[in-house]
Amino acid sequence: MRKRGLAAALAACAALSACVQTRQYADVQFTPPSGDYKLLVLRPDVTVGSIATGGMVQPRADWTEQARASIVQALRAQQASRGGNVTVIEHRNQLSGVSEQELADVERLNFAVDQSIVLHKYLGDGLPTKRGRGLDWTLGADAVRLGQKTGYDYALFLHAEDQVASGGRIALGILGLAGCFIGFCAPNVGGQQQLDYASLVDLKTGEVVWFNVVAAGSQVPGIKFGDLRTPAGAAQMVDRLLGRMKPGRAVQQASKER
Amino acid sequence: MCARCLEISRRSLLVGGGAAAAALHTGVASARVRPQDMVPLVGPGYRPTERDEIGLWQLMERAEEEIAGSNLLIQDPKLTGYLRDLIGTVGGPAAKDFRIYLARIPEFNAMMFPSGFAVVFSGLLLRMRNEAQLAGVIAHESGHFLRRHMIRSWRDQKRKSDLFSIGAMLAGIGGAGAGVYLGDYVQLAQLGTILSLFQYSRAMEAEADAMGAKLIAETGYPPIEMANIWEQLIGEENASARYRGKHRHKGGLFDTHPSEGSRMVDLRADAAEITVPGKPYDNKRGHYLDMINSIRPTLLDDQVKLNDPGASEYLIQTLAQDGWDGLLRFYEGEVWRLRNRPGDEPRAAQSYAAAVAYPDAPADAWRWHGIALMKQGRATEAKAAFARYLTMKPDAPDAAWVRQMAG
């Protein structure tokens, strides 16, 4: 009886402490791109590290390279299935017709706008002026100019970071779990953490039309949910992040009324 | 099992208590690092070979791309070339591998990143009185790279946090098994771990100071200039704090850097140790001023607008120890004018009047001199000053207004 209770408690604990959350916002007029569109992916920001026993994150160059390649591959396959034509640039000097400085300006502007979106849409600090208006942010004329100069329809900004629990971290968690049997129960020392977000900018209007965050984390080391290093894990992440783009509210309502 | 666990927790207590006691006993000072012991640990063209350092360098690639493309950077080729030459001279074996960026930030700071690129703040160029001082700061930063400080302190932190986590877990389990609460000991061990991390960081700074002193002395700069930098900074911070009715922070257990006072004392000892009698040393003040001449007005302007009159006045007085000029007098006036306390207006007027007596007085000195004269009712002299301003700066944004004032 006691044992079963303990097992149930453990299961609940594990269920509560490992989860994948995703939440997307779209411009009210947003329709997910489909058909023949040109998508520019600007310097995907990927980092994969290993969580040491004591909790410090050690960046891993080899894993990061693997993850980046897998993510780009998955992204290309996914967009191609919708009819998209994807260009991925890794460095600011790879985009012809646009200077490094211009691209840097757009990237920095986007970073600031993304931070604002995260603050006001995800961290609970809602703006009364933007209530009920979907995703109402824009990069303005700079992004329109980028579109005019390069001929792309959309720009996608992508960030993915994954921290994988090392052997030592898992052992520490197991030690904590073992302690449960004598009354010091601490398996939840903190395990894999993944944070991915993406923003889609319409280069015809300059508006940020769609934004999504995927946060996955486990308090118990050793529990995994999609490993970015593997092609399958990267494809799962790309699907979670970009696979279920929903149209904006106005568009949804219009299609319901029809 | 429990006996063993207790033993381990006792050890963690000893480690923690020992570190705390050691820190309390010695204060924050640690033994001086001797310059001759500072041997570079990397050679030319160094590339990381171990996994953790490779990861760190890869992370830095993107950071460097971001910094190199930052719109805060000062791009003047003469200045950036000058800094590159300087680090190429005092950078030891890695001299040719370093990259150096100059950011327009009016603060005393410079930093070295793990993959060998440095960022110098413009506020540093304002404060350095000669090339030897600037070379000293750059050599200190090079020292961090040459002694592999970033990866060494990263490994130190990793090792200590690993050990602490295991110790804390074992203490918890052991305590639970024995029915004893060991949380207090765990906290003490945690404090000990944290304190030892800060101590390690201060030790690295002391190493970089010693390495820097050695590098500049070998290049022919007087090593005592490195100690003078700290003397100047202490003076500036005292002046700034005094104006604001506060006390300067004098260092504590949680500092990442040794206190400025101890760095100054250690560097004086270093300088005495490595200065070779009879060898000629040159601080190259003239060359330094030539090089930074084009941005000196910007540097002073940025500083004066920080609204820190205590520090600004001290800085100007310090720079003026090498001789007053029109620029320094003008900005002395600006400090008073912007402070705007009772009695500051006539003080500012005096400074502007003194500034225009120098041939290098900036156009704005004539403008403010004119306004001060106008306020004193000396219209004829004021008009002459405005006329001078307009000749020097015919396209000034306020030219029409000044012309009207000049009648």
Side-chain angles (χ1 to χ4, degrees):
Chain A
M1 188 65 211
R2 245 188 98 195
K3 254 187 186 167
R4 203 186 289 163
L6 187 68
L10 276 178
C13 168
L16 283 173
S17 56
C19 59
V20 180
Q21 280 182 309
T22 153
R23 191 167 181 198
Q24 58 174 289
Y25 287 99
D27 187 284
V28 287
Q29 301 291 349
F30 174 66
T31 317
S34 62
D36 186 21
Y37 61 94
K38 288 180 77 184
L39 176 71
L40 176 65
V41 183
L42 285 168
R43 301 199 313 149
D45 184 11
V46 180
T47 38
V48 183
S50 134
I51 309 177
T53 312
M56 283 187 57
V57 179
Q58 175 184 332
R60 285 285 301 259
D62 45 351
W63 294 356
T64 298
E65 290 304 332
Q66 276 171 25
R68 194 195 306 273
S70 301
I71 289 171
V72 167
Q73 197 185 2
L75 186 68
R76 281 184 195 283
Q78 182 200 50
Q79 296 298 313
S81 70
R82 291 186 192 164
N85 190 340
V86 181
T87 308
V88 181
I89 67 156
E90 294 288 351
H91 293 287
R92 286 182 178 146
N93 56 8
Q94 289 169 349
L95 196 59
S96 58
V98 180
S99 74
E100 283 177 55
Q101 201 57 53
E102 270 176 290
L103 202 53
D105 285 344
V106 172
E107 280 192 311
R108 278 192 289 259
L109 178 60
N110 178 74
F111 181 71
V113 171
D114 281 358
Q115 276 187 318
S116 167
I117 291 173
V118 167
L119 175 64
H120 299 302
K121 283 289 183 189
Y122 290 87
L123 299 180
D125 199 357
L127 288 174
T129 49
K130 291 192 189 289
R131 194 171 291 148
R133 297 177 59 181
L135 189 67
D136 188 21
W137 270 267
T138 179
L139 298 192
D142 281 7
V144 177
R145 219 165 12 247
L146 181 70
Q148 284 165 350
K149 282 187 174 174
T150 57
Y152 286 96
D153 301 310
Y154 295 96
L156 179 75
F157 297 87
L158 179 81
H159 172 98
E161 59 179 89
D162 198 5
Q163 291 155 10
V164 185
S166 66
R169 191 69 174 170
I170 295 173
L172 189 70
I174 291 173
L175 196 60
L177 192 64
C180 289
F181 294 96
I182 55 167
F184 182 83
C185 198
N188 50 339
V189 291
Q192 190 189 354
Q193 299 289 330
Q194 198 186 102
L195 175 71
D196 318 300
Y197 58 84
S199 67
L200 187 69
V201 177
D202 185 335
L203 294 180
K204 298 220 162 51
T205 60
E207 279 173 32
V208 184
V209 285
W210 181 85
F211 195 94
N212 195 12
V213 173
V214 175
S218 160
Q219 287 302 306
V220 182
I223 294 178
K224 286 184 183 171
F225 28 74
D227 190 332
L228 287 186
R229 294 169 292 173
T230 63
Q236 189 184 30
M237 187 281 280
V238 169
D239 183 52
R240 274 178 190 151
L241 189 62
L242 301 161
R244 292 156 216 163
M245 265 187 198
K246 288 185 199 133
R249 218 186 39 236
V251 178
Q252 280 181 15
Q253 272 169 0
S255 73
K256 258 184 224 160
E257 282 161 16
R258 231 184 287 135
Chain B
M1 182 185 169
C2 305
R4 193 174 142 64
C5 298
L6 271 173
E7 206 177 273
I8 287 166
S9 69
R10 201 176 288 146
R11 206 172 79 190
S12 70
L13 166 72
L14 286 177
V15 170
L24 288 173
H25 177 69
T26 56
V28 289
S30 42
R32 182 172 70 90
V33 179
R34 296 185 317 163
Q36 67 261 39
D37 297 337
M38 286 297 102
V39 182
L41 300 177
V42 303
Y46 175 78
R47 301 290 303 170
T49 52
E50 283 147 291
R51 187 186 275 164
D52 51 356
E53 201 174 10
I54 293 174
L56 201 58
W57 278 51
Q58 192 206 41
L59 211 59
M60 286 304 122
E61 262 174 46
R62 200 169 168 104
E64 186 169 359
E65 193 174 5
E66 220 48 65
I67 287 172
S70 163
N71 44 10
L72 280 179
L73 289 191
I74 295 173
Q75 305 281 9
D76 180 355
K78 185 177 164 188
L79 273 168
T80 52
Y82 174 56
L83 290 176
R84 213 168 32 245
D85 288 348
L86 208 50
I87 202 167
T89 315
V90 297
K96 302 293 172 234
D97 303 323
F98 287 125
R99 286 85 65 205
I100 189 164
Y101 303 98
L102 176 62
R104 185 175 171 187
I105 302 173
E107 280 169 28
F108 179 108
N109 215 342
M111 59 206 66
M112 175 63 75
F113 286 78
S115 57
F117 68 94
V119 177
V120 170
F121 286 6
S122 58
L124 183 73
L125 295 189
L126 173 67
R127 284 164 176 80
M128 298 299 99
R129 285 170 63 183
N130 50 50
E131 192 169 291
Q133 291 191 349
L134 180 60
V137 173
I138 290 177
H140 167 99
E141 297 306 328
S142 308
H144 281 310
F145 184 81
L146 297 174
R147 298 285 302 168
R148 308 187 65 210
H149 282 165
M150 296 80 165
I151 192 68
R152 278 168 62 200
S153 59
W154 195 89
R155 284 175 186 161
D156 176 66
Q157 279 178 36
K158 180 167 176 285
R159 193 173 54 83
K160 285 174 182 162
S161 62
D162 285 357
L163 282 176
F164 170 74
S165 300
I166 297 167
M169 185 64 87
L170 289 175
I173 293 171
V180 199
Y181 175 66
L182 293 171
D184 292 341
Y185 299 111
V186 171
Q187 279 188 1
L188 196 56
Q190 184 177 22
L191 178 67
T193 308
I194 292 171
L195 287 176
S196 82
L197 290 177
F198 283 108
Q199 204 171 33
Y200 194 74
S201 167
R202 290 193 296 269
M204 299 263 145
E205 292 301 326
E207 274 198 23
D209 273 346
M211 180 98 232
K214 185 182 171 195
L215 286 168
I216 68 165
E218 283 168 1
T219 325
Y221 296 109
I224 189 66
E225 288 295 353
M226 276 185 81
N228 295 344
I229 298 170
W230 296 110
E231 193 178 337
Q232 286 157 221
L233 189 67
I234 291 169
E236 179 188 332
E237 290 185 345
N238 276 334
S240 170
R242 202 179 311 119
Y243 175 76
R244 289 177 285 118
K246 300 238 165 67
H247 289 288
R248 186 176 69 91
H249 173 74
K250 292 206 172 79
L253 289 177
F254 296 102
D255 285 346
T256 56
H257 286 58
S259 77
E260 288 144 6
S262 73
R263 292 178 79 171
M264 178 176 76
V265 171
D266 283 357
L267 281 163
R268 273 194 191 137
D270 289 349
E273 205 170 276
I274 51 183
T275 304
V276 181
K279 180 178 167 178
Y281 291 100
D282 183 4
N283 69 20
K284 297 200 180 160
R285 183 177 127 74
H287 185 237
Y288 176 67
L289 288 183
D290 273 355
M291 285 294 149
I292 67 156
N293 202 27
S294 60
I295 61 157
R296 220 167 173 222
T298 314
L299 300 177
L300 282 159
D301 207 58
D302 287 350
Q303 170 62 38
V304 162
K305 286 178 179 156
L306 287 178
N307 190 23
D308 187 357
S312 299
E313 197 224 336
Y314 176 87
L315 273 175
I316 289 171
Q317 292 289 343
T318 309
L319 294 173
Q321 284 174 23
D322 299 317
W324 281 100
D325 57 26
L327 198 64
L328 290 176
R329 278 290 181 212
F330 168 64
Y331 280 105
E332 183 192 38
E334 290 289 272
V335 174
W336 304 133
R337 181 177 69 81
L338 294 168
R339 192 175 81 164
N340 201 22
R341 280 187 175 179
D344 280 349
E345 199 177 310
R347 264 190 215 111
Q350 273 175 15
S351 300
Y352 297 136
V356 298
Y358 290 93
D360 69 333
D364 282 336
W366 287 100
R367 179 183 185 276
W368 283 104
H369 181 50
I371 291 172
L373 290 170
M374 201 66 132
K375 283 186 174 172
Q376 293 160 18
R378 293 154 69 182
T380 327
E381 292 160 87
K383 280 174 190 171
F386 287 138
R388 183 69 184 263
Y389 171 67
L390 290 169
T391 348
M392 289 173 82
K393 222 174 166 181
D395 301 326
D398 61 348
W401 178 77
V402 174
R403 227 168 264 129
Q404 190 196 11
M405 295 260 289

